[in-house]
Amino acid sequence: MKAKIVPMKFYIDKDVKEAYNEIKANPKYKKADLVFLDSKLVFGCEHIAGIMKILSERKKRNIVSHIKNIEIEFLLRVCCTDQINEALKVNFGDKSNKDFVIIIISDDDHIFEEIERDFAMYGNLDYENVSQTEIKDLIAADTYKRDYIIEKFFREKIKDKNSTVLNSNDEFLKFLVERAAISLA
């Protein structure tokens, strides 16, 4: 299983779900899975890599998941839940949000470039109107994202407000990957 991470700022007039559906409907992409993640839910490349390792290990050990769609399973693990509706609402709930991280998963190397080329009509993949800093920020692990994720998923469960997990990006990343591993166990 190979993956490519594509940060993307969709054009204002483009519907993110519509773009996803159009790409997925193309028969030449049947060998690919596309995971669309609100960029605020992505806590760095290591977060994505950690979830990819969980999925890869599950596949390697022939552990059968009750969720047959890898795209949904990935989203559930990012959102640390087993509730599909909840994960979809958190991820796609803000229609004005155009900042997403797309993860293309496939064993076919040619698919990556083709899908990325097709997505160019939906947003700034050429990056001519978007700075490299803005693109990196879509994936970067930072305090804003840590606070956003805590508020969305963990605020009610946190007892110790001074925990190192809440105040250290490295510890928080470990925590997120651990939660992703057990969210669908």
Side-chain angles (χ1 to χ4, degrees):
M1 174 172 14
K2 298 175 187 174
K4 182 171 186 175
I5 301 169
V6 181
M8 188 161 165
K9 291 181 146 309
F10 283 86
Y11 296 131
I12 296 296
D13 63 340
K14 295 295 181 186
D15 182 285
V16 176
K17 279 183 151 178
E18 186 178 299
Y20 167 82
N21 288 333
E22 287 176 17
I23 294 291
K24 284 299 287 183
N26 190 328
K28 69 182 179 179
Y29 300 132
K30 285 189 184 238
K31 294 183 188 176
D33 292 297
L34 299 174
V35 180
F36 278 51
L37 297 173
D38 178 335
S39 66
K40 294 183 296 284
L41 301 175
V42 177
F43 199 68
C45 288
E46 296 84 5
H47 185 199
I48 294 169
I51 293 173
M52 288 298 298
K53 286 178 187 173
I54 293 166
L55 297 175
S56 179
E57 190 64 29
R58 183 183 58 77
K59 186 177 180 181
K60 199 181 333 178
R61 293 182 183 192
N62 291 323
I63 299 170
V64 179
S65 173
H66 64 283
I67 298 173
K68 304 298 180 207
N69 184 319
I70 195 168
E71 299 162 19
I72 294 296
E73 183 175 351
F74 202 105
L75 178 61
L76 291 172
R77 289 184 185 281
V78 166
C79 294
C80 302
T81 185
D82 61 356
Q83 301 297 311
I84 295 172
N85 285 339
E86 181 182 322
L88 289 171
K89 187 167 69 172
V90 168
N91 195 50
F92 293 111
D94 180 2
K95 300 280 186 213
S96 67
N97 179 33
K98 302 298 179 180
D99 296 343
F100 278 78
V101 175
I102 302 164
I103 301 146
I104 306 166
I105 303 169
S106 180
D107 288 324
D108 183 348
D109 291 334
H110 301 292
I111 293 285
F112 298 113
E113 291 173 19
E114 288 182 41
I115 290 176
E116 198 169 350
R117 189 174 41 250
D118 285 353
F119 268 122
M121 64 197 261
Y122 297 102
N124 293 320
L125 280 175
D126 58 8
Y127 309 129
E128 55 187 53
N129 296 319
V130 181
S131 74
Q132 286 301 311
T133 302
E134 286 179 281
I135 296 303
K136 289 178 184 173
D137 286 349
L138 293 178
I139 298 175
D142 59 29
T143 304
Y144 169 76
K145 285 185 181 183
R146 186 178 67 215
D147 292 345
Y148 180 83
I149 293 168
I150 289 169
E151 191 61 40
K152 281 287 182 196
F153 305 120
F154 306 112
R155 182 58 63 203
E156 294 173 2
K157 299 170 186 155
I158 295 171
K159 305 284 187 258
D160 181 7
K161 307 285 188 218
N162 296 318
S163 169
T164 56
V165 169
L166 303 178
N167 298 309
S168 161
N169 283 353
D170 291 336
E171 291 299 315
F172 188 65
L173 175 62
K174 289 178 194 173
F175 171 76
L176 282 178
V177 173
E178 287 172 8
R179 292 295 303 206
I182 62 172
S183 64
L184 298 176

